[in-house]
Amino acid sequence: MHTDQSAVDLRWHLEDLDFSSIDSARVRGRDDIFLLVCSASFVESGSKTYAQTLVDYFAGDTEVGEWLSQHWQAEELQHGRALKAYVLQVWPEFDWDGAYADFFAEYAKLCTSEELEPTRGQEMVARCVVEMGTTTYYQALNAVCDEPVLRDLTWRIRTDEVQHYRHFHRYFLRYQQQEKLHRPHVLAALWRRVLELRQSDADIALRHAAAWRFRGREQAPPYDAIRKQVYQLMSAQYPMEMAVRMALKPLQLSAWLQRWVERPVAAVARWALLR
């Protein structure tokens, strides 16, 4: 039996990954890859606290609550364990636990009901944006790395995130009917969540990963330079068109309007990513 198996069957398990076969020479000297993997491990590992906030918010909706606690949370925590294991295999000298503790002290302040959308339907829109972000993040990371085990791991996570998006979108459609959400309400939720992406948990995780990575170095690079380097690396392979399609899907635009807005929105989004 898989040791990390929860009450439900997961799509994959840590035992499916051979961490001993990692080609460390391809990644060990790369600060950018370290920061991308380590910061992701922080965010995924903190999902238990955020999941409980969501479960409480959707109290009374048995289907959503059970899926969040038994499936979504279990898979997110497995992502965190796998990414942490990768970090410690390639960079065993890194104090992951110490860095994570600093990250979580700040991150936990975001895990409150006050940070959620005013209605459940709008919160499902926000969840779609988050899952869009994670799906495209891991797809881009998969493309920019050339270490086989990391590529395998990031694609497994990316596949999980696609499934999470589909669940949240399905729940959004149900709540849209119940709450009679019109397009302006959906657009407002989309806009609020997109604006938060650059000041969200991912940025907090990157800051703490960088602070601990460069701790003690005489010439540690400034954080703004680190963030720019990482964003430039990812932007070269970032699936922007896919991100835009996923983000716009809750608006339920007609096919011709969707095609008409995708390109300019993608262009603006790519410009914003590089800022």
Side-chain angles (χ1 to χ4, degrees), residues 210-230:
W212 282 73
R213 171 67 168 173
F214 299 111
R215 177 174 291 193
R217 292 194 190 182
E218 293 184 2
Q219 296 183 334
Y223 176 67
D224 285 345
I226 293 170
R227 182 173 60 178
K228 184 176 181 180
Q229 178 189 3
V230 168

Side-chain angles (χ1 to χ4, degrees), residues 147-164:
E147 199 288 305
V149 176
L150 183 55
R151 296 205 73 191
D152 182 16
L153 172 57
T154 52
W155 198 258
R156 290 173 187 267
I157 298 177
R158 182 260 185 205
T159 302
D160 284 347
E161 303 294 1
V162 169
Q163 295 303 316
H164 297 169

Side-chain angles (χ1 to χ4, degrees), residues 84-100:
K84 176 184 178 181
Y86 190 92
V87 170
L88 295 181
Q89 181 71 27
V90 179
W91 300 277
E93 73 284 357
F94 182 71
D95 184 3
W96 190 95
D97 290 327
Y100 177 75

Side-chain angles (χ1 to χ4, degrees), residues 46-67:
S47 59
K48 183 175 182 179
T49 300
Y50 203 87
Q52 187 57 54
T53 300
L54 288 176
V55 169
D56 292 343
Y57 187 70
F58 289 97
D61 189 327
T62 304
E63 180 183 357
V64 172
E66 289 183 353
W67 180 77

Side-chain angles (χ1 to χ4, degrees), residues 90-217:
V90 179
W91 300 277
E93 73 284 357
F94 182 71
D95 184 3
W96 190 95
D97 290 327
Y100 177 75
D102 277 0
F103 156 77
F104 189 77
E106 183 175 354
Y107 166 75
K109 298 175 184 178
L110 300 179
C111 301
T112 65
S113 58
E114 289 75 19
E115 297 294 324
L116 303 179
E117 286 292 317
T119 75
R120 290 179 170 186
Q122 288 175 301
E123 181 57 30
M124 287 302 179
V125 175
R127 293 298 96 207
C128 287
V129 175
V130 172
E131 298 301 332
M132 173 277 292
T134 53
T135 297
T136 52
Y137 179 92
Y138 288 110
Q139 182 161 323
L141 179 53
N142 177 272
V144 300
C145 71
D146 64 353
E147 199 288 305
V149 176
L150 183 55
R151 296 205 73 191
D152 182 16
L153 172 57
T154 52
W155 198 258
R156 290 173 187 267
I157 298 177
R158 182 260 185 205
T159 302
D160 284 347
E161 303 294 1
V162 169
Q163 295 303 316
H164 297 169
Y165 176 93
R166 290 172 177 168
H167 274 82
F168 283 123
H169 185 262
R170 180 165 62 84
Y171 295 141
F172 155 72
L173 293 176
R174 172 154 63 83
Y175 275 110
Q176 183 186 35
Q177 294 294 321
Q178 294 176 8
E179 299 174 2
K180 295 180 171 53
L181 290 176
H182 299 294
R183 194 165 288 158
H185 301 110
V186 177
L187 183 59
L190 282 172
W191 182 248
R192 283 191 293 267
R193 198 61 187 86
V194 167
L195 288 178
E196 293 174 1
L197 287 178
R198 288 289 290 270
Q199 287 84 36
S200 63
D201 49 7
D203 191 66
I204 296 172
L206 184 61
R207 279 195 287 106
H208 287 288
W212 282 73
R213 171 67 168 173
F214 299 111
R215 177 174 291 193
R217 292 194 190 182

Side-chain angles (χ1 to χ4, degrees), residues 31-50:
D31 289 333
D32 50 5
I33 296 296
F34 167 84
L35 292 172
L36 289 166
V37 177
C38 186
S39 60
S41 74
F42 289 169
V43 174
E44 301 280 9
S45 297
S47 59
K48 183 175 182 179
T49 300
Y50 203 87

